[in-house]
Structures are given as structure tokens and as C-alpha cells.
Amino acid sequence: MSGTTGAGGVFDGVRFSVLDRSRTREGRPAGEALRDTVAFAREAEALGYHRFWVSEHHGVPGVAGSAPTVLAAAVAAATATIRVGTGGVMLPNHRPLVVAEQFGVLESLFPGRIDMGLGRSVGFTDGVRRALGRDRDDADAEDFAAQLDELLGWFTGGSPTGVRARPAEGLTVPPFVLAMNEGARIAAEAGLPMVIGDLRDRDRMRRGVDAYRAAFRPSPWAAEPYVVISGTVAVAATPEEAARLLVPEAWSMAYSRTHGTFPPLPPAEDAERRPMTAKERGFYESGLRGQLAGTEEQVAHELATVVKVTGTQEVLVTTSTYDRAALLDSYRRLAAIARLGGAA
């Protein structure tokens, strides 16, 4: 594995981070996926990645991470230097005071290492939304902006009821907005860092980044725009091996689009053998196309282009696959491409 990529100094000053969604695997218990996430965080720290984030999903067979602040606490306790956070906590599912309290506890336990990534999704299915006491209308952008404003106010001493958020008040926990649909505008108007994906639709990503920078208003949280681009990056010794890393997630996504439930990841060889309808095959092949996957040289070139076009300050990698050893090898190779401090 070589750190010589031909990308020059394009990655100088660019941070590389990880979002792990605690994807479950066929035939393995959900608890194993959570323990894998914690172990993966230790590896990411050793490789020199800047942040390690976890996600929030409810009622999804393929994802074990349903309580991101709880999992973030386990990750932070198992690591020493890497920043830890959420990608993200979905504000419509929670009261802002409770979110502030949770992050206040995390920041108090692990000072200077906690990030607060925030989104506005309200559940994968109608049943999940009902169980959470929410509906599609609760994802309204203006409601999210108001929730975001209230949440940040708990940290700065604001209170709509006279209650004080303990121990959050007075603490600084960096907030990030997951830019889905109206998210870029909300992040810009609030003066917050923005996370935007995915890498498959790079023209749309660039437009979102440009719109965010144009509308950004400096705030106590961020004096200048800060852009994090996110998506799948798969690196292997050959293009074929890199492409196989994408197969389990592509199959699971195709299944979810046609059956309404997101399943655990199958082994790549099993997924490739499974019969698919024409509609499923279309979704599956779409999931394989446009991803940033290949050898070190191929990925370095393609990733350098994306970084130059977007002017991003950070790349948040979200790759999932069944083969944990191959997944870790991919992240090792990416760390070498980016010349991270812990990369071999």
C-alpha cells in the first residue's frame, strides 16, 4: 500500500472523518454491530481520522444505532483523542432541552471532543413516525429552524420557560447541520457548519455548497462557512475488489426501495446470486454507479477533483459493507491517500 497518490497537496489541510451507521449483518446479532462500531472507532483514531460519528435510526432491521448519544458515550469512553459526535440526532424526534442535556453530559464527561450533528428526518416508515409521535409535517424546514434555535439557546442561557439546561448551559459543543433539501439554507442562516452528500450527485452537491456559502451569516458558532462533504469511498487493491465492497449496501438499498424495510447486509457473493425483479435490479445497479470506488490511484484522482470543485474543508466517509476486514482495509488505504497521521 503506497501513500504516493499523484494528488499533490490537494488534501493538505482537509480533514477526513468517519460516520459509522452500525449496520447489522445477516446472521449476526445487533449487539455485535454496536460493538463493531466501538472497535472501529479505535481503529479510526489510530489511523488519524479527525472525527467519528454515529447515526440515529429507529425500527430499522439493518441498523443497530437507535440511540446516538448513548453510542457516542461508548465510543468516546473507548477512545482518547478523536472527536466523537452524531450524524445526526434528528431534532423532530426529541425535545431540544433533552438534546441539550444529553450533549451537555457528553461534553462534561469528554471535554473538547464532542460534536453535535443535527438533522430533521422523522422516520423511515409511517409506523416508525407514529411510534415517535411524529408525521411528515413535523419535518417542515421552518419548524426545524425553530427547534435548532431553541437547542442552541439552551447552551447560551436562553430559556423559553425559565428552566436552565444542566449541565449544558455555558458549554460549547460544536453544532453541524445535515443539509438535506432545505438544510443548506438553514445552516447558512444560522451560521453553522454544514454536512452535505452524497458523492454520487456531485453537481447537486456543488450547487448546495455554493448556495450555502453565498447565504452564510457569521454567528457565535462559526465566523466563516465550514463545509463537510459526505459519502461512500471504497478503496482496494483492484477496482473489482473495491466494487465488491459496495454490493451489500447496494442490494440492501434496492430491497428497501421495493419492500419498505431496510435489511441487514448480506455477504457480497450472496447478494450477487439473489434473483431480482427488473425494478430491484435498477435500484441495485443505481446504487453501484457513481460511487467513489477503486484503487488508491483512482480514488485519489477522483477525490481530489471533488475536493477542488467543492472547496470542502472536510470529507466524512460513510462506507458500509459486510466484510469488516475489507472495510477496515479500505479505510487504511484512504488514510494513506490523505496522508493522515496514523496511516502506515
Side-chain angles (χ1 to χ4, degrees), residues 127-140:
V128 169
R129 287 189 286 271
R130 288 196 302 272
L132 292 170
R134 299 288 181 256
D135 58 36
R136 289 185 186 275
D137 292 339
D138 289 321
D140 179 81

Side-chain angles (χ1 to χ4, degrees), residues 11 13-17 50-51 226 312-316 340:
F11 300 132
V14 178
R15 293 165 168 166
F16 281 75
S17 299
H50 182 63
R51 308 180 203 277
Y226 189 90
T312 189
Q313 287 102 323
E314 189 166 341
V315 179
L316 181 67
L340 304 185

Side-chain angles (χ1 to χ4, degrees), residues 11-314:
F11 300 132
D12 292 348
V14 178
R15 293 165 168 166
F16 281 75
S17 299
V18 178
L19 168 62
D20 188 67
R21 289 180 293 141
S22 302
R23 292 288 274 116
T24 58
R25 294 182 288 168
E26 285 187 357
R28 305 293 184 92
E32 182 179 89
L34 298 172
R35 292 187 291 274
D36 284 344
T37 290
V38 175
F40 184 22
R42 293 193 196 100
E43 297 281 359
E45 180 177 70
L47 288 170
Y49 285 93
H50 182 63
R51 308 180 203 277
F52 191 95
W53 283 5
V54 296
S55 62
E56 175 180 345
H57 294 273
H58 299 282
V60 180
V63 181
S66 57
T69 54
V70 176
L71 185 53
V75 168
T79 55
T81 57
I82 195 168
R83 296 195 63 87
V84 177
T86 57
V89 164
M90 298 302 152
L91 275 186
N93 299 339
H94 312 278
R95 295 300 306 165
L97 171 62
V98 174
V99 176
E101 290 172 335
Q102 290 173 346
F103 279 96
V105 169
L106 283 170
E107 176 63 21
S108 298
L109 290 171
F110 309 101
R113 292 181 57 207
I114 301 301
D115 299 321
M116 186 167 56
L118 306 162
R120 63 188 184 98
S121 296
V122 293
F124 187 64
T125 66
D126 288 338
V128 169
R129 287 189 286 271
R130 288 196 302 272
L132 292 170
R134 299 288 181 256
D135 58 36
R136 289 185 186 275
D137 292 339
D138 289 321
D140 179 81
E142 297 312 315
D143 287 346
F144 175 70
Q147 287 180 307
L148 184 62
D149 184 63
E150 180 184 336
L151 170 60
L152 299 180
W154 289 115
F155 287 92
T156 58
S159 173
T161 65
V163 173
R164 297 298 177 189
R166 309 293 187 195
E169 187 174 316
L171 298 180
T172 300
V173 182
F176 295 74
V177 173
L178 275 60
M180 311 244 280
N181 301 318
E182 288 292 301
R185 176 183 64 81
I186 293 168
E189 292 178 355
L192 299 179
M194 175 188 71
V195 183
I196 187 168
D198 64 55
L199 290 169
R200 287 181 299 172
D201 193 341
R202 295 170 204 176
D203 286 340
R204 182 181 179 188
M205 175 185 285
R206 181 183 51 77
R207 290 194 300 270
V209 169
D210 290 346
Y212 164 73
R213 288 201 175 105
F216 185 85
R217 301 174 184 172
S219 76
W221 300 96
E224 298 177 344
Y226 189 90
V227 174
V228 183
I229 61 171
S230 69
T232 295
V233 182
V235 195
T238 67
E240 294 75 21
E241 290 177 67
R244 283 181 65 77
L245 283 169
L246 306 176
V247 166
E249 186 79 12
W251 179 87
S252 294
M253 183 61 71
Y255 187 93
S256 73
R257 297 286 297 274
T258 52
H259 293 76
T261 185
F262 203 69
L265 295 173
E269 57 272 19
D270 289 0
E272 289 171 327
R273 287 195 298 261
R274 291 178 181 178
M276 300 182 207
T277 66
K279 187 175 184 180
E280 288 170 333
R281 177 67 61 178
F283 286 131
Y284 171 73
E285 292 177 353
S286 174
L288 295 174
R289 282 195 300 271
Q291 302 283 16
L292 219 164
T295 64
E296 283 99 323
E297 290 74 18
Q298 290 170 326
V299 168
H301 174 74
E302 204 168 350
L303 185 57
T305 300
V306 177
V307 167
K308 286 178 183 176
V309 167
T310 60
T312 189
Q313 287 102 323
E314 189 166 341

